Amino acid sequence: MNNLIAFEKLNSIVEIEINKYNEQNIPFCFVVIEFLEHCDKLFSKDEIISLFVNDLDSSLRPNLDFYTVDKSGRVIIMFSEIDFIEVQEHLEKIYILINEIFGSAINFCLSLLSYPEDAFSYKDLMLKANVQLLREKEKKITFCQDIKSLNEIKIKSLLKRENVDVNTLIFEKTQKLVCSLKEYDNYFYEHSSIVARGSVLLAKEAGLPWAEVENVAVASLLHDIGYLMIPKTVFQKQGELSQDDWIQVKLHPLIAVKKILEPMEIFGDYLQIILGHHEFIDGTGYPYGLKGDKIKAGSQIISILDSFHAMSVDRPYRKALPIDQILDVYIKKAGIKWNSELITTFCAMICDEDTRFNILNTY
C-alpha cells in the first residue's frame, strides 16, 4: 500500500495524467468509492482499501498510479494506461468478494470514470463522480424502504401460512438455530447455553422488566449464531489469529443479524441486542464503536456473561482464571467496558459459589 498520496495532491496529479493523455494518447481511469455504513468502525481504513488496492489482479497492479482518501472518507483510485473494461471487470470481482466475505457489513457506492470519455478536467471528473454517487445512494435508500415495507407484508403472510402465533414461531426457529450451532461446534453450543443462563439471572437481578428478560434470553442463545457462516478452520488454529481471521471474527454479530436472523423476519426484537454484544461503553467495541447508553442493557448483560465464560475456562494460551482474578477484571473495567451498576450486581451474584456452578455447568 505504498501508492498512498495526500488528497491535497490529487488535483495536480490528475492534471499531469491529462497532459500525458493529450501528448501521448495514454488513457486513465478514475474510481471513487463512498462507504455508507459505519465500516470505519468495523474495519480500519487500510483493511477496507486493501480490498480494492492490495487484491488487484496481477495484470492490473502495474497500472495502479495511486490512491487517496478525501476528507469525507471516500477512497479515490487512479489507473493509468488501461482499458475501462478491464478496470470495470476487476471492480465487479471485488464487489463479489466483498459480498461473499462481508455481506452487508460494508455498504458502499462506486463511481468509475475514464478520461476523456467522461470528463475533460479534474473538476469535471469530481463533479461527474459526485452525480453518479448521489444517484447510487438514492437507489439504495429507495431499495431499503421497499424492503422494509415488503418485510412487514411477508411476516403477516408467514404467520398466516404457518398457522401459529409469533411466539411459537420464534421458539421453533430458535430451537432449530441452536441445534444447528451444536452440529457446527459443540463448544459454541455450550457457550451459548452458559451465556443464556447467566444472562437471564443477571437481567432478573438487575430488575429488568419481564419482557426485556425474555428478549435477553432469546438474544443470548443466538448471540454467536453468526459463526455458522465463518469457516471452522478459523477457530481450529493453534496459534494467534491472523488479521484476516480477526476481520471474519469481528463480523459475526453482523452476520448473525444481516445474513441469518433478519431474513427470517420474526427476530426484530432481538437484533439490536445481538448486534451490540461486543460493544463497550468507552467506544472500543465492535461492530459500530457505540458508546454509553447507546448500547442496549441486554447487549451489556450478554457481553458480561460472554467474558465471564471466556475467563472461566481453559484457553490455548492460559488456564482458567480463579474467581478473585475474574472479579478484579470486572471491577477494573466497570464504567469503562461495562455499566458500573450491572457490574456491581453481577459481581455480587457470582460471589456465590452455587450460582457460579449453576451458570457454568451444563446438564
Side-chain angles (χ1 to χ4, degrees), residues 187 191 306 309-321:
Y187 170 80
H191 170 72
D306 193 32
H309 183 222
M311 289 187 283
S312 300
V313 297
D314 292 339
R315 310 289 277 185
Y317 51 88
R318 62 151 175 81
K319 292 291 185 180
L321 300 181

Side-chain angles (χ1 to χ4, degrees), residues 76-94:
I76 302 170
I77 307 172
M78 178 173 283
F79 296 96
S80 66
E81 303 181 38
I82 194 166
D83 182 75
F84 177 88
I85 300 299
E86 287 184 77
V87 177
Q88 188 176 43
E89 288 176 351
H90 165 69
L91 294 174
E92 288 174 356
K93 290 179 183 177
I94 294 295

Side-chain angles (χ1 to χ4, degrees), residues 251-266:
L251 278 169
H252 79 270
L254 276 160
I255 292 172
V257 169
K258 298 294 184 180
K259 292 293 186 180
I260 298 175
L261 300 176
E262 206 170 64
M264 292 184 179
E265 305 160 10
I266 57 170

Side-chain angles (χ1 to χ4, degrees), residues 74-331:
R74 300 187 306 180
V75 179
I76 302 170
I77 307 172
M78 178 173 283
F79 296 96
S80 66
E81 303 181 38
I82 194 166
D83 182 75
F84 177 88
I85 300 299
E86 287 184 77
V87 177
Q88 188 176 43
E89 288 176 351
H90 165 69
L91 294 174
E92 288 174 356
K93 290 179 183 177
I94 294 295
Y95 182 81
I96 292 170
L97 177 66
I98 284 174
N99 278 279
E100 285 179 348
I101 298 176
F102 301 125
S104 56
I106 298 183
N107 189 5
F108 65 93
C109 294
L110 184 145
S111 170
L112 171 59
L113 304 170
S114 63
Y115 182 91
E117 285 83 357
D118 294 310
F120 296 96
S121 68
Y122 168 77
K123 184 177 180 180
D124 289 341
L125 281 167
M126 293 304 295
L127 180 61
K128 186 73 173 286
N130 288 334
V131 171
Q132 286 188 358
L133 292 170
L134 182 60
R135 286 174 180 168
E136 287 297 311
K137 283 190 282 188
E138 288 175 347
K139 287 179 185 177
K140 285 180 179 287
I141 291 170
T142 303
F143 176 74
C144 291
Q145 290 172 340
D146 290 344
I147 289 297
K148 183 178 179 182
S149 300
L150 181 62
N151 280 343
E152 290 174 354
I153 295 171
K154 285 169 71 178
I155 189 168
K156 292 176 182 177
S157 174
L158 178 66
L159 293 173
K160 184 177 180 180
R161 185 173 69 250
E162 298 282 349
N163 195 29
V164 294
D165 63 56
V166 68
N167 290 327
T168 301
L169 197 56
I170 288 171
F171 175 80
E172 291 175 353
K173 296 289 187 183
T174 300
Q175 190 176 42
K176 288 180 181 179
L177 286 168
V178 170
C179 287
S180 297
L181 195 60
K182 186 174 185 179
E183 291 174 7
Y184 172 80
D185 189 282
N186 196 61
Y187 170 80
F188 284 117
Y189 166 73
E190 291 186 355
H191 170 72
S192 294
S193 299
I194 288 167
V195 170
R197 282 200 299 275
S199 294
V200 169
L201 281 175
L202 179 54
K204 290 163 68 176
E205 288 291 324
L208 267 63
W210 182 245
E212 290 187 38
V213 175
E214 289 183 327
N215 288 348
V216 168
V218 175
S220 56
L221 281 171
L222 301 176
H223 76 283
D224 276 345
I225 205 71
Y227 283 127
L228 288 176
M229 298 183 71
I230 296 176
K232 290 180 70 172
T233 53
V234 172
F235 311 105
Q236 292 170 342
K237 293 183 177 179
Q238 296 300 314
E240 293 185 2
L241 296 182
S242 67
Q243 185 182 45
D244 289 342
D245 293 334
W246 273 115
I247 289 174
Q248 294 191 70
V249 169
K250 288 165 66 177
L251 278 169
H252 79 270
L254 276 160
I255 292 172
V257 169
K258 298 294 184 180
K259 292 293 186 180
I260 298 175
L261 300 176
E262 206 170 64
M264 292 184 179
E265 305 160 10
I266 57 170
F267 288 103
D269 291 339
Y270 319 108
L271 299 183
Q272 291 304 310
I273 300 174
I274 294 167
L275 196 58
H277 79 271
H278 279 291
E279 302 282 7
F280 297 127
I281 61 175
D282 64 353
T284 60
Y286 61 86
Y288 295 149
L290 301 179
K291 291 185 177 182
D293 58 8
K294 290 189 177 181
I295 306 169
K296 288 186 172 293
S299 300
Q300 281 269 292
I301 287 170
I302 294 172
S303 176
I304 291 168
L305 268 299
D306 193 32
S307 298
F308 175 62
H309 183 222
M311 289 187 283
S312 300
V313 297
D314 292 339
R315 310 289 277 185
Y317 51 88
R318 62 151 175 81
K319 292 291 185 180
L321 300 181
I323 185 60
D324 59 330
Q325 288 187 30
I326 292 175
L327 290 169
D328 190 52
V329 169
Y330 284 118
I331 291 168

Side-chain angles (χ1 to χ4, degrees), residues 349-362:
M349 191 175 87
I350 62 168
C351 279
D352 181 72
E353 188 174 348
D354 289 339
T355 300
R356 292 199 309 274
F357 181 86
N358 289 333
I359 292 173
L360 293 171
N361 289 275
T362 54

